[in-house]
Amino acid sequence: MRCAIIGLGKMGAAIAARLRKEKYCVLGYDPSLHAQEAMEKLEVQLYTNLPALAQEADVIWLMIPAGPLIDQTIAALGTLRPGVIIVDGGNSNFNDSRKRAAALAQKKIPFLDCGTSGGVHGQEHGFCLMVGGDYHAYQAIEPLLKVIAMKDGYGYMGPSGAGHYVKMVHNGIEYGLLQAYAEGFDLLRNGDYKDLDLEKISRVWLHGAVIRSWLLELAHDIFKEDQMFGSVSGAIQEGGTGAWTVENAHKNKVLVPVIATSLEVREWSRKTGGNFATKLIALLRHAFGGHAVVRKNENI
């Protein structure tokens, strides 16, 4: 099974690396010279022409930004061979994924929406994959999913849009969890006791506490390096998924005050530069997803 990956950034490159490790034939497309050089070392077959790539692939896996670029890329693939499956592994809006699946179904092209979680650690440990769309297409690519995902870390969520819908809610939960940890550590830093050791507290919590988690592990690693964050900007960027989660919850009359508040805090942080809590969120986002953090005049 030949898998073409369009978009060889952090996530796309990691998926390619996992497939190549298991000797899958991987085709690739990315205009970035840096991405191309990295893929050449993995013996990924690089293309500069999307229609030519599409003619050689059994599966076309999109790892590019959500929005019009998805539709533009699908259109640029040209006429596809019968049986080729398109997978959108990015953070697309589930309503857009429904529309794309319906449009491609008219051309007898299976389309799967795959919510992808795991960040920069996915290459080593495997990703979490939430797949929606044509079930027969899901079954056809399951060997790929097993390689890309952590053990037991993939599944069929339901019809078209369900994979991206589940990932949207996943990201909303992520917003809330980050906000809760950040607020708690902010209070520990600036509450009644001013000299508490956050590295020690997080280490103790990691052993038996109800609130232990991977995010807490990452926070512990951050506190080992720095507990003051004096040079870090607290302005937190965001994608669209958190807002989509809140909008969909309101539509369905589901209360999501924690997630909604976390969005408001992020907006406030961009206007003001934030505080200790938002600095921790920014550092955590960098730790799990490679998102940029501003330190004085440079990005990390």
Side-chain angles (χ1 to χ4, degrees), residues 167-189:
K167 179 55 163 50
M168 176 190 77
V169 176
H170 161 288
N171 284 16
I173 292 170
E174 173 195 302
Y175 279 43
L177 289 173
L178 287 169
Q179 187 64 33
Y181 277 121
E183 290 176 5
F185 282 113
D186 192 2
L187 185 58
L188 290 171
R189 166 59 59 195

Side-chain angles (χ1 to χ4, degrees), residues 191-259:
D192 282 4
Y193 295 87
K194 306 300 183 186
D195 57 352
L196 294 175
D197 185 337
L198 303 185
E199 185 275 332
K200 182 184 293 184
I201 292 168
S202 55
R203 174 178 56 79
V204 170
W205 281 354
L206 284 170
H207 295 83
V210 172
I211 61 170
R212 65 188 184 274
S213 71
W214 184 47
L215 288 177
L216 185 59
E217 289 179 29
L218 295 175
H220 176 251
D221 291 339
I222 290 168
F223 292 138
K224 283 195 293 186
E225 298 295 325
D226 181 16
Q227 297 190 29
M228 302 303 294
F229 311 154
S231 63
V232 178
S233 169
I236 315 168
Q237 302 304 316
E238 62 183 88
T241 49
W244 298 341
T245 304
V246 174
E247 290 169 6
N248 189 260
H250 290 166
K251 172 188 170 186
N252 289 287
K253 296 181 172 57
V254 174
L255 296 176
V256 288
V258 171
I259 300 172

Side-chain angles (χ1 to χ4, degrees), residues 138-159:
Y138 166 81
Q139 290 179 308
I141 71 163
E142 192 168 2
L144 296 179
L145 300 177
K146 285 182 179 179
V147 172
I148 296 168
M150 181 182 285
K151 187 178 185 298
D152 299 324
Y154 73 93
Y156 179 72
M157 302 294 109

Side-chain angles (χ1 to χ4, degrees), residues 5-29:
I5 301 175
I6 298 176
L8 296 166
K10 292 187 290 287
M11 301 282 276
I15 290 172
R18 289 187 67 82
L19 290 173
R20 286 297 300 136
K21 186 176 180 180
E22 296 300 319
K23 308 304 181 185
Y24 274 91
C25 176
V26 179
L27 319 178
Y29 175 90

Side-chain angles (χ1 to χ4, degrees), residues 1 8 73 86 112 132 157 160 169 176 194 199 252 289 291 297:
M1 186 181 296
L8 296 166
T73 302
I86 297 178
L112 296 171
M157 302 294 109
S160 293
V169 176
K194 306 300 183 186
E199 185 275 332
N252 289 287
H291 302 289
N297 295 321

